[in-house]
Amino acid sequence: MSTNSPERARVRLENISSRAYEHPADRGALVALRSLRGFDEVFKKLSGLFNERALRLMFLSSSVRVSEQQFPEVYNYVRDAAYVLDLDEVPELYIQMNPKPNAMAIGSQKPFIVMTTGLFDLLDAEEQRFVVGHEVGHILSGHAVYRTMLLALINLAARVAWIPLGYIGLRAIVTALEEWYRKSELSCDRAGLLAAQDPEAAKRALMKLAGGSRLAEMNPDAFLEQAKEYREGGDARDSLIKLLSLMGQTHPFAVVRMAELDAWIKDGSYRRVIAGDYPRRDTDKDASVGEEAKSAANYYKESWERTSDPLLGTLRDVAGSAASAGGKLFDTVADRWKSAGRRDGNSSSTGS
């Protein structure tokens, strides 16, 4: 990493665990999955069905790979983000000709990043840093492995749509995974901020995703007011429409992302991480599934208690009880899986 150092002073977050920035709902799911022995390997095999090598070759042949010779400034942003978040390797990044603003992290064996020209042209330098850090956050969290599962299930659901019961069951699973996917995006907005270490640039980038490049015509405070109105305004009909509008959505709406990131900054979490108060990777194995599940449950409970949304107010008590039961279920499944793993390990050692 001696050649991978930032061009200006940013705090390097040595050995930082992705748990430092992961949203409670994202972190709870990931800790639960990571605690199941062999689970990552199963999904890495599943991701192989999408032929990661072929995807990389496709972008290698049809996009521009950033380097010291091509898009050198963006190359520096990737190096800086990898340095600040303490990645072992600097991921490749490709610029793809596509007017739709988008960026993504692809792959599980050797993840790489793709940014469209639509997003590149929309953002200034510091905003691009935020987006690159966001995608590096996906890589550090290992989101690609689990997103593969969502893609596979979406494809399967489409194939069995003619079987009513089968489709309903798969659709329920896909809906739950889409909710996790949206929370993983909130996680990586935080990672992007930690990498760029420029809160105003992060907010500008999110506003531009909603309103385009005319930044002088937009106002962060007014944009946050929109988020408050979206969350709390309307009657039960509006609440139902909001729930239905999330079907099939893998990304939270821009006003929601802005409000969530702003709240994370204002509650002091961002500054605590920058000051060095964060979990380290070498403690990931000790993370409690039950505690993380409870943290996720508390997030939803607190969110619903704060909102004046009439429909969510009606569902509040029922969902709170379900979330509490979910935490107990995570503990039980993880304990049984670990116990089975120990028994397998003992059998193997005896046999040898």
Side-chain angles (χ1 to χ4, degrees):
M1 299 289 288
S2 60
T3 61
N4 180 28
S5 57
E7 65 177 29
R8 74 163 173 81
R10 288 183 179 83
V11 177
R12 189 184 190 191
L13 306 171
E14 292 187 49
N15 197 32
I16 186 172
S17 167
S18 59
R19 290 182 291 126
Y21 59 79
E22 284 163 354
H23 185 280
D26 175 27
R27 189 171 65 241
L30 289 176
V31 169
L33 292 172
R34 290 165 184 157
S35 72
L36 305 180
R37 189 171 61 88
F39 202 79
D40 280 3
E41 290 305 315
V42 170
F43 284 106
K44 283 179 182 176
K45 296 296 183 184
L46 179 60
S47 68
L49 297 176
F50 290 84
N51 200 335
E52 182 177 321
R53 185 183 296 270
L55 279 173
R56 182 180 175 277
L57 287 172
M58 181 184 75
F59 287 105
L60 187 65
S61 64
S62 60
S63 305
V64 175
R65 181 171 60 191
V66 304
S67 65
E68 292 178 338
Q69 292 78 39
Q70 301 189 115
F71 294 100
E73 290 300 316
V74 181
Y75 180 65
N76 284 335
Y77 305 158
V78 186
R79 292 172 60 245
D80 289 1
Y83 177 88
V84 172
L85 296 178
D86 200 9
L87 261 66
D88 292 332
E89 296 183 17
V90 179
E92 292 182 337
L93 189 151
Y94 293 87
I95 302 292
Q96 179 191 44
M97 176 58 191
N98 187 331
K100 183 177 180 180
N102 193 22
M104 52 189 168
I106 302 174
S108 56
Q109 303 296 329
K110 189 178 180 181
F112 59 93
I113 300 168
V114 178
M115 181 190 296
T116 66
T117 52
L119 187 59
F120 178 80
D121 293 337
L122 178 65
L123 305 178
D124 68 24
E126 292 304 310
E127 294 157 9
Q128 290 173 9
R129 283 186 183 276
F130 165 72
V131 169
V132 169
H134 175 108
E135 299 306 326
V136 170
H138 280 308
I139 292 173
L140 180 57
S141 285
H143 284 145
V145 176
Y146 306 112
R147 289 177 174 209
T148 299
M149 179 170 121
L150 175 59
L151 292 173
L153 289 175
I154 289 174
N155 290 334
L156 182 59
R159 292 178 183 176
V160 300
W162 58 277
I163 307 175
L165 292 179
Y167 177 75
I168 290 171
L170 277 175
R171 187 64 247 179
I173 296 172
V174 167
T175 299
L177 283 170
E178 286 174 344
E179 167 63 8
W180 162 75
Y181 197 118
R182 289 189 292 271
K183 295 302 183 285
S184 77
E185 289 298 319
L186 299 179
S187 295
C188 292
D189 284 343
R190 299 172 179 181
L193 175 56
L194 290 173
Q197 298 180 16
D198 187 339
E200 296 310 310
K203 293 177 183 179
R204 292 198 308 268
L206 293 174
M207 283 198 301
K208 284 184 175 181
L209 287 175
S213 62
R214 296 179 180 273
L215 195 61
E217 303 295 327
M218 294 182 274
N219 180 282
D221 293 333
F223 198 63
L224 287 171
E225 278 298 314
Q226 280 186 238
K228 183 178 180 181
E229 181 179 343
Y230 173 75
R231 284 180 163 176
E232 300 179 1
D235 55 21
R237 291 170 298 177
D238 295 308
S239 302
L240 181 59
I241 292 170
K242 283 187 280 188
L243 287 174
L244 292 175
S245 69
L246 290 174
M247 296 293 291
Q249 292 286 339
T250 57
H251 285 62
F253 297 122
V255 292
V256 174
R257 293 174 67 175
M258 174 80 147
E260 288 280 348
L261 189 61
D262 184 67
W264 194 66
I265 295 169
K266 286 180 176 176
D267 70 15
S269 297
Y270 166 64
R271 284 296 166 196
R272 283 194 294 273
V273 175
I274 294 297
D277 182 10
Y278 56 81
R280 269 61 178 177
R281 284 174 217 166
D282 49 19
T283 65
D284 282 347
K285 61 182 182 301
D286 301 320
S288 166
V289 178
E291 287 301 314
E292 296 298 352
K294 290 173 187 174
S295 177
N298 287 336
Y299 163 79
Y300 284 112
K301 183 179 179 181
E302 290 170 4
S303 296
W304 295 345
E305 285 175 347
R306 288 195 303 267
T307 186
S308 58
D309 187 300
L311 180 58
L312 290 182
T314 304
L315 298 174
R316 182 179 297 146
D317 294 335
V318 175
S321 299
S324 177
K328 295 177 182 177
L329 178 61
F330 273 134
D331 272 337
T332 302
V333 171
D335 288 344
R336 288 182 179 177
W337 193 288
K338 289 177 180 177
S339 295
R342 284 194 293 270
R343 287 197 299 272
D344 292 344
N346 291 336
S347 298
S348 299
S349 60
T350 303
S352 60

